[in-house]
Amino acid sequence: RERNRAHHLADEDEGQVLPEGHPPHRNSIETAAGGPKAIAKLLVALAAMLRARALAPAARRAGARARRPTARRSAPEHWYSASASAPSLNAPLGSADAAAPVASDVFHPRAAPYDDEARARDQRIFARLCDEAESLSGSALLGNSVAKQILTQRDLAGAVGEILACRLARSNDSFLPRDELRAACAAALRDDPRVGADVTGILARDPAAISYLQCVMFFKGFHATQAQRVAGMFWRSGDRSDKHAALAVQNRISELWAVDIHPAAEIGGGLLMDHATGIVVGETAVVGENCTILHAVTLGGTGKDRGDRHPKIGHSCVLGAGATILGNIKIGDGATVGSQAVVTKDVPAGMTVVGLNKLLDPAVDSERKKVVKKRTETWQYEVDTYDGYSI
């Protein structure tokens, strides 16, 4: 069609209009010689038009997203992790107040001092541990192990550090080398009152615990807890290489014992982590003193927040097997979270929560009964108001 059109235009220039299908004369053929070039230009223009038409919807969507207000902002550049405090919005950049941590009334387990009473307790534990190890010195299977890991050590921290190094170090000695790891474990756990408190708490609350030796050498919940504290020492140093060393220890804990606790999590003394398999504790979680955590417990975030986003567990709490506690919420002192419960709201002290944010009968004292309304259709209770808590 383009060729015939060129023919007709050429003939019109000479004042002649040829009928359709009439063979063009020589002048028309010469004019039509530029036909392929015109067709090529036409095809290029057509391709550009089709491309622009195909990209138009995507451009409209991108423009709509740019105009739409965003409800969620990306993390600031200084937030390598939630444990790093963000600068104050009112403080000028580079000032001393810009990097000051925000004051919090959250319990910090590490604050307990290593006083003379704690030191005397650890000495008694280590003496009992050595007595039990000596009774196994003639064992063909355990004699050499207890001799090297306990009898050759000078205190409880040294024994626990040797035991952890034997388990965390790889056989090829290139990843977390054993000698350096042993020294780091002993340094992190020495003068830490939580180690002896853990041993005492396990023997007091676990019916299956029959000896100090069993607790220190064979309880993986105890091993995972102490290894997390070693990782926490690296993490708190603030050095980039030490933080990666902490993450390497965390990775090794997960490989060995199927326990995943972030190095920045704060774990109080007297912890009984029974069975321990499948326990997950997030970066900003806090666990008080003398708590009991069974297997498959999750202290996690909701996935909607950054910064301080994990649960705060009070003192003497019991978290049943498979319990899931999500968000920056508070579990009051002495509370019990039932097995497989899902908790996303604050739990008052002394309460028992089951299912999805459901409280059991809180008949602890008459004052607490006043703030609890019994549901007639079930055996569960729900809180109307209680010291600012709601569930």
Side-chain angles (χ1 to χ4, degrees), residues 160-183:
V160 176
E162 175 66 28
I163 292 170
L164 291 180
C166 290
R167 287 153 178 76
L168 292 173
R170 295 184 185 274
S171 58
N172 58 13
D173 212 41
S174 61
F175 182 80
L176 298 175
R178 181 168 175 174
D179 292 338
E180 290 80 356
L181 189 59
R182 181 194 306 110

Side-chain angles (χ1 to χ4, degrees), residues 243-267:
K243 284 186 180 292
H244 283 81
L247 296 174
V249 174
Q250 178 194 7
N251 172 261
R252 191 68 175 132
I253 295 170
S254 180
E255 287 181 352
L256 289 174
W257 302 304
V259 177
D260 195 358
I261 307 177
H262 195 279
E266 298 186 60
I267 310 296

